[in-house]
Structures are given as C-alpha cells and as structure tokens.
Amino acid sequence: EHNTRLGTSLEPGQFTPWEDIPEGTDVLFYEGLHGGVEGDGYNVASYADLLVGVVPITNLEWIRMPELTTGQALNKALSLILEQNPTAFIAGEDIGIYGGAFGVTDGLLAKFGEERIKDTPIAEDVIAGLAVGASMTGGKPIVEMQFSDFIVNAMDPIVNQAAKLHFMYGGSVNVPIIVRGASGAGTGAAAQHSQSLESWFCHVPGLKVVTPSNPQNAYDLLLHSFVDPNPIIFMEHKLIYKIKGNVELNDIPKESSMLGKANLIKEGNDMTIVAYSNMVNVAKEAIAAEELQNCSIELIDLQTVSPIDYETIKNSLKKSINIVKNGNELSYSLTLSKVIPKLIFSMVKIQ
C-alpha cells in the first residue's frame, strides 16, 4: 500500500533512492535497522519480516546518519569494503556462521560467501601468516584475533614479517593487512581475555596501531586503515562495542589521513587529558562530574597510538601546561609513557 503511494512496487533486491522520496511521505521502518542505508537506498522488501510500523520522513539526514552501536558501525564498514573491493576478504575464528564473538561480522557470510568470509581453525599464527602472504600477492586481508590476548601466538608473522618485509625488499612490496582484535578488561573475561597489549606494537617500526573509541571513529578509522599501505593493528576495546551513536556512513577515502591524527573532543585551558580507546569515554564521564564544572579541561582522543599526534598535544599544552595521560594498560607499560618525555623536551625547546 505504502509502496504504491511512492509510485513503485518493490521486489526483493530492488531499491528506492532516498532522494526520490519527498519529505513527509509515509515510509516503512524495520526494527534494528533504523533507516540503515544499503547501496543507493534502503532495501525495503528484503526485510518485510521485521516490519514494526509506518512513520513520516521529516529529516532525511537522520536516515543517512543511522544510530548504530560500535559493533554495527564496524560491520557497516566491513560490508562497504567487501562490496567495493573484490580482493578484500576477512578471516578469523568463528567470524562466519557464528558472526564473530562480539557480532561484528554478523550476516557477512550470507552476503559475501565462504570465499570472502573465511572461518579458520584456532591458530592465530596461521591466520596472521595467511594475511601476510595474501597481501604480498595482491589480496587485501582483514583478519580477526577473537581476543587480542592471543595475538601473542602470531607475533612472528606480524612483527618479523608484516612489519619488516616492505623494508627488507627495498620497498618493492607492501603488506596492507588489518589485524582486528577485541581488547581490554571490564567484561569479567578473566586474565587471558582482558589484556590491553597495544603498547607492545607501538615499539615495532613498520606497524600502525589504531584505537577507536566510539561508533563514528570506529567506522571511519577502519576505512582509513583499509586504504593505508602499512600493516595495521586495530584494537577494539570490548566496552565500546555497545556504545551507540549516530554514524555518518562515509565512503571509503582515497588516503589514510585520519591515521596519526588526534581528535580534539573538548577545548579547555586549565588541564589537558590525553586518552584513547575506551578511556576517552571514561574521561568524558569524569569531566561531566559536578566537582569539575569550574575547571576548563581539554580532552584529546588520540585515535591512533602509533603514530601519535604530538603536535595536537603540544598545542594543547601551550595553553594548559598540565597533562593527564589516560590509557588502558597497567601503569608500568603505558603506551603514553613515551609521550611525556618527548613533549617536555620539545616544550623546553619552544620556550
């Protein structure tokens, strides 16, 4: 009935572009999708079993920026990559039929098939080795360490191969792999499933280490990581998977300009908080406390911890002088422990 109002009769697989739908038109919406975008429009007919009601469109931007969890945003980014890049594939433990331990790859097997969504044995060294070999021969692999703690089993292919082969072969090959991993504590997953190991990889030349904190930058950072020619360690803190936010579903960029670029979340003059991953969200909550309302606090989300955007931190310190480092790991292995001495030295030179 409502399709008839639009002058179209949709069959499964057909699309109605949003720009062809006038504002104020009644449109079918489906639970869990909240106006999700697929291709040039929204595939109404294929989700008929999830129909929950009819609402008028009054703001098309709301549709183009659906509310997603971080896990759903990552799923959208992975789907876009696979749609637009035939050499891209995903491999990892339980990523196919099960949809990933945290649901990030849910539905991708049905959409792209077993050739591109590869369930693997429990063998992290094999998964990483597969990625290294495939990337050197024209593939664009994205591999998942179900829990990033077990990336230790893949240290040789990542640290001794992926990070070094570009240089050992005189720049004649690139190793453009993404190694995704669920990291961090806070879910009661015990000692072997709760570590934050990103600082290890910050000490390996040739690797980039990416640490999203919310749905939007998780979506964008994954796309930027995909177009970067270097091997990427992409650490996803478990506590960010269910964080919700409106996500602008941007296209795949031509360059990885977000990597190495921090995001200034809040400006202030009294104190600078430098954080990454879920600690950005912890810092936001702390800043909102009534006791701190008289303090002018600047909050920086690093987004990538290797390379680190020293310039943004330094510019902030010119105003505030005081800095709080806020990372996920144990104090004696902090990723940010190397930031302070370098910044102090540079600030002394500036003064």
Side-chain angles (χ1 to χ4, degrees):
E1 176 187 353
H2 295 280
N3 288 340
T4 303
R5 292 190 198 176
L6 297 176
T8 179
S9 177
L10 292 181
E11 299 295 332
Q14 290 185 321
F15 299 90
T16 296
W18 286 114
E19 55 267 27
D20 293 347
I21 303 176
E23 291 193 7
T25 301
D26 288 344
V27 175
L28 303 178
F29 275 81
Y30 302 90
E31 186 174 9
L33 297 171
H34 303 292
V37 176
E38 184 174 334
D40 292 328
Y42 180 42
N43 192 339
V44 174
S46 63
Y47 298 111
D49 58 323
L50 298 174
L51 174 62
V52 294
V54 178
V55 297
I57 292 183
T58 56
N59 183 356
L60 291 179
E61 284 303 311
W62 182 82
I63 297 168
R64 295 189 180 101
M65 293 183 62
E67 184 181 62
L68 302 172
T69 65
T70 302
Q72 290 170 332
L74 289 167
N75 182 284
K76 288 282 189 184
L78 290 170
S79 183
L80 180 64
I81 287 169
L82 292 168
E83 286 173 359
Q84 296 191 8
N85 295 271
T87 60
F89 67 91
I90 306 174
E93 300 161 13
D94 296 323
I95 65 160
I97 296 173
Y98 190 65
F102 298 91
V104 172
T105 55
D106 187 37
L108 297 183
L109 176 62
K111 188 173 183 180
F112 296 102
E114 294 181 355
E115 286 298 310
R116 305 187 68 195
I117 309 296
K118 300 177 181 293
D119 271 321
T120 68
I122 303 174
E124 287 78 9
D125 57 338
V126 174
I127 297 169
L130 162 71
V132 173
S135 67
M136 293 177 67
T137 55
K140 294 280 285 184
I142 301 172
V143 296
E144 178 178 311
M145 303 286 136
Q146 189 174 88
F147 286 85
S148 66
D149 311 66
F150 299 104
I151 202 170
V152 297
N153 296 323
M155 291 297 273
D156 181 69
I158 291 173
V159 173
N160 285 331
Q161 309 301 328
K164 297 176 172 60
L165 288 175
H166 173 78
F167 306 98
M168 292 175 66
Y169 284 95
S172 61
V173 299
N174 291 322
V175 188
I177 69 174
I178 299 175
V179 182
R180 294 179 44 247
S183 68
T187 62
Q192 293 177 334
H193 297 74
S194 301
Q195 299 171 88
S196 296
L197 304 178
E198 55 270 13
S199 62
W200 289 4
F201 299 99
C202 293
H203 298 282
V204 180
L207 297 180
K208 293 187 178 182
V209 184
V210 181
T211 52
S213 62
N214 61 71
Q216 184 67 67
N217 74 357
Y219 178 88
D220 289 331
L221 286 167
L222 187 56
L223 297 183
H224 280 251
S225 296
F226 180 74
V227 299
D228 195 277
N230 299 284
I232 307 288
I233 307 299
F234 198 93
M235 291 292 197
E236 304 159 9
H237 198 290
K238 302 177 193 72
L239 294 182
I240 74 169
Y241 281 131
K242 293 185 178 181
I243 293 176
K244 288 185 176 182
N246 287 75
V247 178
E248 186 173 353
L249 299 174
N250 298 310
D251 293 331
I252 298 175
K254 293 182 179 180
E255 297 179 348
S256 56
S257 57
M258 277 188 74
L259 305 191
K261 182 67 175 176
N263 181 30
L264 181 58
I265 293 177
K266 180 179 180 296
E267 293 191 26
N269 298 311
D270 297 332
M271 178 186 296
T272 296
I273 298 178
V274 180
Y276 67 88
S277 188
N278 189 56
M279 293 308 293
V280 174
N281 304 308
V282 174
K284 284 181 180 179
E285 292 182 13
I287 291 172
E290 184 177 350
E291 296 86 345
L292 294 177
Q293 292 311 297
N294 293 327
C295 297
S296 177
I297 300 174
E298 188 144 297
L299 175 59
I300 296 172
D301 181 352
L302 286 177
Q303 300 192 122
T304 59
V305 290
S306 183
I308 284 178
D309 183 358
Y310 287 103
E311 196 63 29
T312 295
I313 303 172
K314 188 165 62 177
N315 290 337
S316 180
L317 284 177
K318 290 177 183 178
K319 298 184 295 181
S320 69
I321 302 301
N322 303 301
I323 184 170
V324 176
K325 55 184 183 178
N326 199 3
N328 295 308
E329 323 97 309
L330 298 171
S331 59
Y332 52 77
S333 65
L334 275 174
T335 302
L336 299 181
S337 62
K338 68 178 183 177
V339 173
I340 307 304
K342 182 169 181 176
L343 285 171
I344 291 174
F345 180 72
S346 65
M347 293 299 289
V348 169
K349 290 203 302 184
I350 290 172
Q351 293 172 353

